[in-house]
Amino acid sequence: AQSVSQHNHHVILSEAASLELGCNYSYGGTVNLFWYVQYPGQHLQLLLKYFSGDPLVKGIKGFEAEFIKSKFSFNLRKPSVQWSDTAEYFCAVNTGGATNKLIFGTGTLLAVQP
Amino acid sequence: DVKVTQSSRYLVKRTGEKVFLECVQDMDHENMFWYRQDPGLGLRLIYFSYDVKMKEKGDIPEGYSVSREKKERFSLILESASTNQTSMYLCASSLRDGIYEQYFGPGTRLTVT
């Protein structure tokens, strides 16, 4: 069965620190990859996605992620975090097709201290 | 802007009650989904629907059923609520292809006492 692993469950950073959140998936075929973010009290929303082309994708609010097929990874990065980045981050994968069924990781709770 | 709305933000029900959670989307999306979100477990898919009257089980369908009579509306039903169904329930919708993102509603926090 397909699965998604997020290795960091809880991350605490100071403002201006760099961020990298790990995401690995288990599926040998073509995948579409997503990072979603849930700010406190808000809807889950898309941060960025990859489905083809340049493996380095840029999203909202200065986030980017790199798809490394050989490592089955899609790590999220931001060079300098802000207090407003405090949120829960979810990596998700689908294997394409009409049903668009996503498999989510367990999430990483990021707390940025001012 | 895509909008996914859920009928209640907070709901308190008693054990054994029948519970209906409603979700409506306004973007003519074919696919709709129900998840539950629990701390440390992420989002787990309960049921999804890819067309009116069509449904498929997700990863944790036990104790739940769904109904999709109109394209814009997808209902989650707890036939006999139990305390282990206390959770945050999220509805989502999307277009019919895996390259498209899912759009989420605000969630319903259900407490079963």
Side-chain angles (χ1 to χ4, degrees):
Chain A
Q2 298 136 28
S3 64
V4 177
S5 298
Q6 291 183 242
H7 318 294
N8 317 101
H9 299 293
H10 198 178
V11 173
I12 301 173
L13 295 173
S14 298
E15 275 193 315
S18 65
L19 170 72
E20 180 159 2
L21 301 182
C23 173
N24 287 90
Y25 63 93
S26 64
Y27 183 72
T30 302
V31 291
N32 302 312
L33 298 152
F34 303 80
W35 276 99
Y36 284 84
V37 60
Q38 189 171 35
Y39 297 104
Q42 293 190 25
H43 300 196
L44 206 66
Q45 59 184 284
L46 182 72
L47 205 50
L48 48 76
K49 67 180 180 182
Y50 170 83
F51 57 91
S52 69
D54 189 342
L56 184 64
V57 291
K58 295 192 184 299
I60 60 172
K61 305 188 181 187
F63 285 91
E64 64 178 31
E66 185 175 13
F67 171 48
I68 303 179
K69 191 173 181 179
S70 60
K71 294 185 177 180
F72 300 92
S73 70
F74 189 55
N75 292 353
L76 181 70
R77 300 194 293 246
K78 186 171 185 179
S80 175
V81 294
Q82 301 172 312
W83 177 79
S84 58
D85 294 323
T86 294
E88 191 160 18
Y89 293 81
F90 294 93
C91 182
V93 170
N94 73 33
T95 56
T99 58
N100 195 358
K101 183 178 157 186
L102 280 175
I103 300 163
F104 282 85
T106 52
T108 297
L109 205 55
L110 170 66
V112 180
Q113 297 173 333
Chain B
D1 260 358
V2 175
K3 200 163 184 185
V4 179
T5 56
Q6 295 183 228
S7 50
S8 307
R9 289 300 303 271
Y10 300 94
L11 210 51
V12 180
K13 295 292 182 181
R14 294 193 183 276
T15 303
E17 278 194 83
K18 191 168 187 175
V19 182
F20 293 86
L21 302 182
E22 302 283 333
C23 174
V24 177
Q25 51 96 2
D26 67 357
M27 280 303 290
D28 204 34
H29 285 168
E30 295 90 354
N31 295 339
M32 294 189 76
F33 308 84
W34 276 106
Y35 296 90
R36 64 178 281 176
Q37 182 180 11
D38 299 289
L41 297 178
L43 276 74
R44 293 178 293 166
L45 182 64
I46 304 170
Y47 266 97
F48 67 101
S49 168
Y50 50 90
D51 204 345
V52 174
K53 296 191 187 294
M54 306 304 289
K55 60 187 179 186
E56 281 195 27
K57 292 180 181 179
D59 301 316
I60 51 164
E62 296 77 20
Y64 303 96
S65 62
V66 291
S67 171
R68 193 164 180 203
E69 297 297 318
K70 292 185 177 181
K71 191 174 185 180
E72 68 270 18
R73 190 178 297 270
F74 191 36
S75 302
L76 180 70
I77 303 150
L78 286 67
E79 296 290 341
S80 177
S82 64
T83 54
N84 63 12
Q85 292 179 309
T86 291
S87 186
M88 172 69 86
Y89 290 88
L90 298 181
C91 176
S93 72
S94 78
L95 290 168
R96 188 174 279 167
D97 190 289
I99 67 170
Y100 296 108
E101 68 186 273
Q102 291 184 15
Y103 292 85
F104 286 83
T108 296
R109 185 165 293 283
L110 172 67
T111 302
V112 182
T113 61

